[in-house]
Each structure stands twice: as structure tokens, then as C-alpha cells.
């Protein structure tokens, strides 16, 4: 299936009511958040501190009378430079381009699958700046198979999971973790769509380099195709 056809399939799915957070949270309660390196406000805060970044995000949510901040697909970010897992002195190979959608919301927030699914894999990715507990779900739509990844979860979310476990659309799959388990970030969900998960198990790159961007843009399409959040701020 070509990228164009896959994009259209996801876009058609997005015409339905799909969500990964509580559907009782109105779309009007979401606010876009810019964490790119072009946001000069971030130059004035210590983004290496999960507590400081959480305060900044919480203030942004409160100031906009919102409940959830979202964004980040293909954002080039400086916040990963704090971690040796990402940092690289070569700007072409430094992994700093974000491949998923982040939903910044309170710890222990329930997470739901937007589509019928089964568990492909799960893992606690414990590197500093990594996902922490992570679930990858497999979906089959019109005989086409693809995957969604959920990162920065609570440890309890993966304690009793089983490979191949089935979930129905809208069923809760997890809760969010805090900075002590989620890679040392402010609480948020990293949600990513993946065409081909390759040989990864419980993990898949969520941040890439400029050198690898074209491949990952084709393999990890914009979650906006499913969740339709940008329409609320336009």
C-alpha cells in the first residue's frame, strides 16, 4: 500500500469518533503546545528539568482554560539534548525530530485504544529520556495491518499484559506514568502510528535525525489523520 493510500485510509478512519484520552474531555479543552527549538520562550527555562518543564506546560494549559496540551509531530526539539541517549554533535545525525503526537495531561490519566487492536508487544524502556513503559498495538483495517505505540505509561500498565491480548475500540489499555518511570519527563502520552514496526519489540524510534527523516515520515504518519485535533484551534 502506498503512502498516499495509507494516508487516505487513516483519514477516512478519522471521520469516526476516535480518541486515546477520555472522550468526555471535549476537543475544546485541548490546546496546541509548541516545544520546538524555534519557541524562544523555552530558552528562558530549564527544559532539562522535568519539574520545570511540567510547570511550564501546566501554566500553558491553565492560561488557555484547557485540560490537555498537544502537539509535536515532526517538531525539531532541543529538549532531548539533556540525554546521552539522543545527543550527537553532528546536526545531521542528532536525533531531535519528534515522530509522534504528545498529549500532556495529568499522571494516571487513563489511555484508550482508538481502534480494535491486539497487543503486538510491550516493554519498559528505561534509558534516561526514553519511553519508560510502552505498549505497541496491532490493528487490521480492510486487510491492512499497522501499529500504534503508547509511550510514557505507568509500570502497572504492562504488569499483566499478554502478547496477542485483544482490545475493543475505546477500551482502556493503560494509565500515564510519572517522571520517576516515564524517562524523566512531565506526564504525557507519546502516541505514534507506524506502518511497519520492523523487528522492534516494545519499542520503536520516536525521535529521528535529519538524515533519517524521509524514511520515518513515510513510516510514521501524522496522528492528526486519526485524532483530528488541529481543527479545534483553526
Amino acid at each position: 500500500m502506498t503512502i498516499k493510500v495509507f494516508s487516505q485510509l487513516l483519514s477516512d478512519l478519522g471521520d469516526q469518533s476516535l480518541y486515546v484520552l477520555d472522550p468526555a474531555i471535549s476537543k475544546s479543552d485541548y490546546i496546541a503546545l509548541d516545544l520546538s527549538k524555534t519557541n524562544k520562550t523555552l530558552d528562558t527555562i530549564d527544559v532539562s528539568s522535568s519539574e520545570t518543564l511540567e510547570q511550564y506546560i501546566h501554566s500553558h494549559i491553565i492560561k488557555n482554560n484547557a485540560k490537555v496540551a498537544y502537539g509535536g509531530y515532526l517538531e525539531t526539539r532541543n529538549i532531548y539534548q539533556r540525554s546521552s541517549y539522543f545527543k550527537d554533535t553532528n546536526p545531521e545525525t542528532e536525533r531531535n525530530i519528534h515522530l509522534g503526537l504528545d498529549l500532556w495531561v495529568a499522571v494516571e490519566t487513563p489511555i484508550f485504544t482508538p481502534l480494535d487492536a491486539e497487543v503486538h508487544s510491550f516493554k519498559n524502556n528505561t534509558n534516561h529520556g526514553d519511553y519508560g513503559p510502552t505498549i505497541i498495538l496491532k490493528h487490521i483495517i480492510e486487510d491492512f495491518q499497522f501499529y500504534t505505540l503508547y509511550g510514557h505509561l505507568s509500570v502497572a500498565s504492562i504488569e499483566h499484559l499478554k502478547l496477542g491480548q485483544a482490545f475493543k475500540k475505546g477500551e482502556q489499555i493503560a494509565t500515564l506514568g510519572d517522571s520517576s518511570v516515564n524517562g524523566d519527563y512531565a506526564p504525557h502520552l507519546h502516541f505514534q502510528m507506524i506502518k511497519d514496526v520492523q523487528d522492534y519489540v516494545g519499542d520503536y524510534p520516536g525521535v529521528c535525525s535529519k538524515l533519517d527523516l524521509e524514511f520515518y515520515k513515510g513510516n510514521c504518519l501524522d496522528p492528526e489523520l486519526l485524532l483530528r485535533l488541529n481543527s479545534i484551534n483553526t
Side-chain angles (χ1 to χ4, degrees), residues 146-173:
F146 66 99
Y147 305 85
T148 51
L149 181 150
Y150 307 78
H152 310 300
L153 306 175
S154 65
V155 173
S157 298
I158 62 173
E159 284 183 332
H160 303 294
L161 272 189
K162 296 179 180 178
L163 297 181
Q165 183 174 344
F167 288 98
K168 290 293 187 181
K169 171 186 172 182
E171 190 172 352
Q172 182 177 340
I173 61 168

Side-chain angles (χ1 to χ4, degrees), residues 157-194:
S157 298
I158 62 173
E159 284 183 332
H160 303 294
L161 272 189
K162 296 179 180 178
L163 297 181
Q165 183 174 344
F167 288 98
K168 290 293 187 181
K169 171 186 172 182
E171 190 172 352
Q172 182 177 340
I173 61 168
T175 56
L176 284 187
D178 62 21
S179 61
S180 69
V181 299
N182 76 356
D184 190 33
Y185 291 103
H188 71 288
L189 174 69
H190 174 97
F191 175 68
Q192 187 167 332
M193 295 192 307
I194 305 164

Side-chain angles (χ1 to χ4, degrees), residues 10 31 34 46 50 55 61 99 148 158 165 186 208:
L10 295 175
I31 185 67
D34 179 7
D46 180 12
S50 59
Q55 290 171 6
I61 291 172
L99 298 171
T148 51
I158 62 173
Q165 183 174 344
C208 78

Side-chain angles (χ1 to χ4, degrees), residues 145-147 194-200 204 215 219-220:
Q145 182 172 293
F146 66 99
Y147 305 85
I194 305 164
K195 284 179 65 179
D196 179 5
V197 78
Q198 300 168 275
D199 295 325
Y200 286 91
Y204 192 84
F215 169 77
N219 202 41
C220 302

